[in-house]
Amino acid sequence: MNFIDTLKSVDLVLSTNEVPLVVGESGIGKTALAKKLAKENNWSLVVIDGNLLKEGEIGGLPTIESYTTTNSNGEKIEKKITVYAVHNKLREIDEEIAKGKSVLLFIDEINRCEHTVQQELMNLILNREINGYKLHDDVKILAAMNPSSKYGSDFDYQVVDMDAAQENRFVWLNMEPDYNQWLNWAMDSGIEQKVIEFISTFPEYLHRINEDDVRATPRSYERVSKSYKVYKEQKDSIPRNVFLNVIKGNVGKVIAEEFISFVESDCSPLISYEDVFSCETLSSSVIEKVKSESHTRLYLSAMNILKTLELNFENDDISENNINRFIDFLKSYPVDLMVGIMKDIKSNYINVYNKAIENEEFVELYFESYSMIRG
């Protein structure tokens, strides 16, 4: 499943009070999914990384406490009891619950930890308690792990597999990369425009296993974006070969060289919201620029403009003229791309779509264009 389908599936499983287990390669976006889910539901997010835990850590170190009781002769006697300290992550949960918040407990890398740690986490995940500590009813649990060759795929992760009884306690959800959804996420998350354009042009590079080299993942491009931003700002003091070496360390030699060439060969900005809406009518220079742009760059321009329109709707700062202008802009697009963008509007830009379907020209344009593609 792609990111959005996995997100919706997790939400559904959690609503039934079961535990979803997201299975996906490292860097694919499992943590980003947990963050988005928590944000959308106004839950506090607490993350436990199983790979970082040592035996006995999550259960808490034992301490001895004394208490007084009465024996069969009515005499008071002192006894000892073992009490386990609460791990800081569990205390963090209690603090959020005390604030009246619901909590999403995201337990990652459950098959990348020691077997004894895995058993401790299983107590917390499946029994909702560990060494006397019990999870509050307002805590929902999401688990995640890397793929294992046990399940028929060729992966090189060093994992500790669960037994059949443990596996059967989860709802398994397999997550795969989807570059279109990554592009939408990247535009919302402030990823550098050139990085977004690069993946749009070479979608196969979003998640790629490079033989005898660094593996490229969606997470890699977050780091590439940060490095590129610094490089742009300090280009006079950072040598090109230094920047290239940093990119190699994130995505491998071949992709790094492709990225550098891509950045250096194309410096013209995308068509922007201001280009389309700043004049009283759509500028002829914008229309001419559309004719010379690639499908990839035109798609990104449309997505950026639609995000601004959607935001303006939320701020009640939009009119019928805005829709008419955007329609005029779309008319200059290649027919197949125009239809694809119109479908994206319906799926991802609800406010714009609700306004657009009231516009006869928009509806007619869609059906005419669709008919042309169908022949």
Side-chain angles (χ1 to χ4, degrees):
M1 291 183 289
N2 60 33
F3 183 92
I4 297 299
D5 287 346
T6 307
L7 180 71
K8 292 178 178 178
S9 299
V10 168
D11 209 8
L12 175 58
V13 173
L14 289 175
S15 69
T16 66
N17 294 320
E18 298 295 337
V19 180
L21 174 62
V22 176
V23 183
E25 293 198 56
S26 177
I28 201 173
K30 299 187 291 293
T31 302
L33 183 145
K35 290 179 179 178
K36 185 175 179 62
L37 185 67
K39 183 178 180 180
E40 289 183 351
N41 289 282
N42 195 29
W43 297 333
S44 295
L45 178 65
V46 176
V47 180
I48 293 177
D49 191 335
N51 193 39
L52 302 179
L53 294 175
K54 299 299 181 183
E55 180 181 354
E57 185 177 349
I58 193 64
L61 296 175
T63 60
I64 304 298
E65 290 186 0
S66 300
Y67 71 99
T68 302
T69 186
T70 304
N71 65 16
S72 56
N73 298 322
E75 300 169 337
K76 290 185 177 181
I77 59 173
E78 186 180 87
K79 288 187 175 181
K80 305 290 185 180
I81 184 174
T82 302
V83 178
Y84 291 86
V86 175
H87 190 272
N88 68 294
K89 288 292 184 179
L90 302 182
R91 180 177 177 179
E92 187 179 339
I93 291 173
D94 289 343
E95 289 172 350
E96 294 302 313
I97 292 294
K99 297 175 186 176
K101 302 276 289 184
S102 293
V103 173
L104 177 64
L105 175 57
F106 177 51
I107 302 180
D108 198 8
E109 307 274 16
I110 64 167
N111 64 342
R112 296 288 305 280
C113 54
E114 300 172 7
H115 180 71
T116 51
V117 173
Q118 188 181 79
Q119 297 307 305
E120 292 169 349
L121 290 174
M122 287 300 170
N123 267 334
L124 195 59
I125 294 169
L126 304 178
N127 300 324
R128 299 182 64 85
E129 70 90 23
I130 184 168
N131 290 341
Y133 175 90
K134 294 185 178 181
L135 287 173
H136 193 277
D137 290 343
D138 289 334
V139 178
K140 297 180 181 295
I141 301 175
L142 167 62
M145 72 178 200
N146 296 123
S148 166
S149 57
K150 173 184 177 181
Y151 307 110
S153 299
D154 184 21
F155 296 106
D156 57 1
Y157 296 107
Q158 298 298 314
V159 300
V160 177
D161 291 318
M162 294 180 280
D163 61 41
Q166 291 171 334
E167 292 174 349
N168 195 44
R169 298 286 296 276
F170 294 97
V171 179
W172 289 59
L173 303 171
N174 291 291
M175 182 176 171
E176 298 176 347
D178 183 297
Y179 91 94
N180 280 319
Q181 291 184 359
W182 184 87
L183 291 177
N184 285 324
W185 170 85
M187 285 187 278
D188 285 338
S189 302
I191 299 298
E192 284 289 316
Q193 190 66 50
K194 284 299 177 186
V195 177
I196 295 173
E197 291 179 39
F198 180 71
I199 294 301
S200 297
T201 306
F202 303 103
E204 67 275 16
Y205 288 164
L206 179 62
H207 195 280
R208 177 162 173 158
I209 299 174
N210 300 311
E211 189 173 350
D212 299 324
D213 204 347
V214 176
R215 180 192 303 251
T217 70
R219 183 187 295 154
S220 304
Y221 291 98
E222 292 184 60
R223 298 192 297 266
V224 168
S225 176
K226 293 175 183 177
S227 298
Y228 179 58
K229 182 178 181 180
V230 174
Y231 178 67
K232 282 194 309 176
E233 295 170 350
Q234 304 177 28
K235 198 168 184 179
D236 293 339
S237 61
I238 301 177
R240 179 184 184 275
N241 67 306
V242 170
F243 178 55
L244 175 60
N245 286 333
V246 171
I247 303 304
K248 285 180 182 178
N250 281 291
V251 294
K253 179 181 178 181
V254 173
I255 297 177
E257 291 174 347
E258 287 267 18
F259 178 74
I260 297 294
S261 298
F262 181 86
V263 168
E264 294 176 342
S265 65
D266 182 11
C267 296
S268 62
L270 295 172
I271 298 172
S272 67
Y273 179 89
E274 289 73 22
D275 293 333
V276 175
F277 291 94
S278 61
C279 301
E280 291 185 5
T281 59
L282 184 64
S283 168
S284 58
S285 63
V286 172
I287 296 174
E288 287 302 313
K289 189 172 183 180
V290 168
K291 295 178 182 178
S292 64
E293 290 279 43
S294 67
H295 273 45
T296 295
R297 286 171 59 84
L298 288 175
Y299 176 78
L300 291 174
S301 292
M303 293 302 102
N304 285 332
I305 292 169
L306 281 167
K307 287 181 186 299
T308 303
L309 284 173
E310 188 77 2
L311 182 61
N312 289 345
F313 261 114
E314 293 174 2
N315 296 329
D316 294 324
D317 184 23
I318 198 166
S319 67
E320 184 70 27
N321 291 334
N322 294 107
I323 297 298
N324 291 333
R325 178 65 59 84
F326 186 70
I327 291 171
D328 290 340
F329 176 60
L330 271 187
K331 285 180 180 177
S332 61
Y333 270 47
V335 174
D336 57 339
L337 182 57
M338 177 170 44
V339 171
I341 290 170
M342 287 178 160
K343 290 180 178 179
D344 276 347
I345 293 173
K346 181 178 180 181
S347 301
N348 301 314
Y349 304 95
I350 304 302
N351 291 320
V352 175
Y353 175 73
N354 289 338
K355 191 72 175 178
I357 58 173
E358 297 174 359
N359 188 296
E360 290 185 13
E361 188 175 6
F362 178 88
V363 176
E364 291 175 2
L365 182 63
Y366 174 79
F367 285 110
E368 288 175 6
S369 303
Y370 189 75
S371 298
M372 290 175 64
I373 293 177
R374 299 276 296 197

